[in-house]
Amino acid sequence: ATVDAWAAATEVDRTAAAFDGDQLVATSGAFTMQLTVPGGTAAPVGGLTVVGVLPTHRRHGILRELMRRHLDDVAGRGEVASVLTASSSAIYGRFGYGPATFLAEWELETSHAGFTAPVDQPGRMRLLDRDAAVTLLPALHDRARRARHGEVDRSPSVWRAYLAELDEEATEGQPWFFAVHEAADGSADGFAIYRVAESTWPSGLARNHLHVWEVSASSSGVHAAIWRYLLDIDLVERVSTRSAAVDDPLRWRLRDPRRLRTTAIADHLWLRLIDVPSALSARTYGEDGALTLEVRDPVRPERADRYRLEVDGGAATCEPTGGAPDLVVDVSGLGSIYLGGVGVETLRRAGRAQATRGGAVDHADRLFRTTVAPYCTTPF
């Protein structure tokens, strides 16, 4: 069922395959997506997916050719960037991608999950069956993803494939639960997907582990109400999550914040700019001013250029220029700083960005900085 669902979600005109005679030896594909950028604008991007080469055909340049075709396709469609979630973090940097969003995995014992203050959010939680979830959750996710830069949209077919994968896991005897938060007027404004990942009863005492797949909320108050519900479910000793924002406010609600143990911080969405002027013009910035960037692109050297970014009232214009650069960065580094998830100074200290005038790095950091971290909930 999962294979069928992903087959239905496949955009055939965005797939490529490599053959050795009549043997299929490599594939790639892409989803047509919208990426929320700082300021709330949705920018068109190509979501690279299903990339693979048979182990018998590695080191023959097949992946390089598939990537070239994909990047040409993105440019030809007028999309500003290519994005992906990487199965291996060692592959895509050489094609100009940089990690742009990060996620946290954590766990918390429910006996230490008290909040510093009661949740003051009108409304209630309601459990849904799967059919109701299929109907209601996509609109709630779409509302939330428009408000958080780093998020991408999910088409109806991608939603069906996403839920099919959950269904497959549920056949292990651990069904997924879908809970929605409703405001006082009865309208839905957030949801959670979770399951009991481990059920143990030593000496008749519940030692159950609740695993949260996704939480989506339209406001910080709804976010708090959903987590209060999850942490208060009976007979649960431990709650964990596969994906939370690195600046998730839950820790700061806890009376004992040390008890929330971060078990991993991982890169998630990787970003590769294609149309630099359009991409830089699409987002808002932290302060006004001008910056000339030299963007080096060894993969697509014809795209390497200098760009003048001018910001007025938070809005930007960006055009190619022949002027001297203030900052030199490669295209993968620009992908990392684009959403505000990585600081320019961090890249400078790593040898990935160089300033050609005093103060350029500080100015660029203030320009690209965002008040919240970019975050993406969708694997693809």
Side-chain angles (χ1 to χ4, degrees), residues 42-68:
V45 297
L48 183 65
T49 189
V50 296
V51 177
V53 180
L54 286 185
T56 53
H57 287 71
R58 296 169 68 239
R59 305 292 186 263
H60 293 291
I62 300 173
L63 176 59
R64 184 170 60 251
E65 176 64 13
L66 290 173
M67 293 301 300
R68 184 190 67 78

Side-chain angles (χ1 to χ4, degrees), residues 214-261:
E214 182 173 352
V215 168
S216 180
S218 63
S219 69
S220 59
V222 174
H223 178 271
I226 292 174
W227 276 112
R228 188 68 271 160
Y229 161 78
L230 293 167
L231 295 168
D232 286 343
I233 292 176
D234 291 334
L235 307 178
V236 171
E237 180 183 58
R238 179 167 54 99
V239 175
S240 67
T241 182
R242 68 149 190 120
S243 172
V246 294
D247 60 348
D248 192 296
L250 180 63
R251 181 185 300 276
W252 308 103
R253 293 187 180 276
L254 296 172
R255 287 198 300 267
D256 192 355
R258 185 182 297 174
R259 297 288 183 163
L260 191 150
R261 296 185 300 275

Side-chain angles (χ1 to χ4, degrees), residues 330 345-354:
D330 65 24
E345 170 61 16
T346 300
L347 291 186
R348 186 201 66 78
R349 287 187 284 130
R352 299 283 304 279
Q354 299 84 40

Side-chain angles (χ1 to χ4, degrees), residues 264-329:
I265 298 288
D267 58 88
H268 187 54
L269 191 78
W270 290 59
L271 190 148
R272 205 264 192 229
L273 295 184
I274 299 295
D275 183 344
V276 173
S278 294
L280 294 182
S281 299
R283 59 156 290 178
T284 58
Y285 293 85
E287 69 175 26
D288 291 351
L291 186 73
T292 298
L293 293 162
E294 180 177 314
V295 182
R296 295 177 176 173
D297 192 343
V299 180
R300 295 165 66 82
E302 74 280 4
R303 293 277 178 168
D305 208 341
R306 293 177 181 175
Y307 303 94
R308 180 73 170 175
L309 175 66
E310 297 187 357
V311 182
D312 184 13
T317 58
C318 184
E319 299 288 343
T321 181
D326 303 313
L327 187 72
V328 180
V329 65

Side-chain angles (χ1 to χ4, degrees), residues 174 195-199 209-211:
Q174 299 165 331
R195 69 173 179 169
V196 178
E198 182 183 8
S199 182
H209 167 205
L210 190 81
H211 183 64

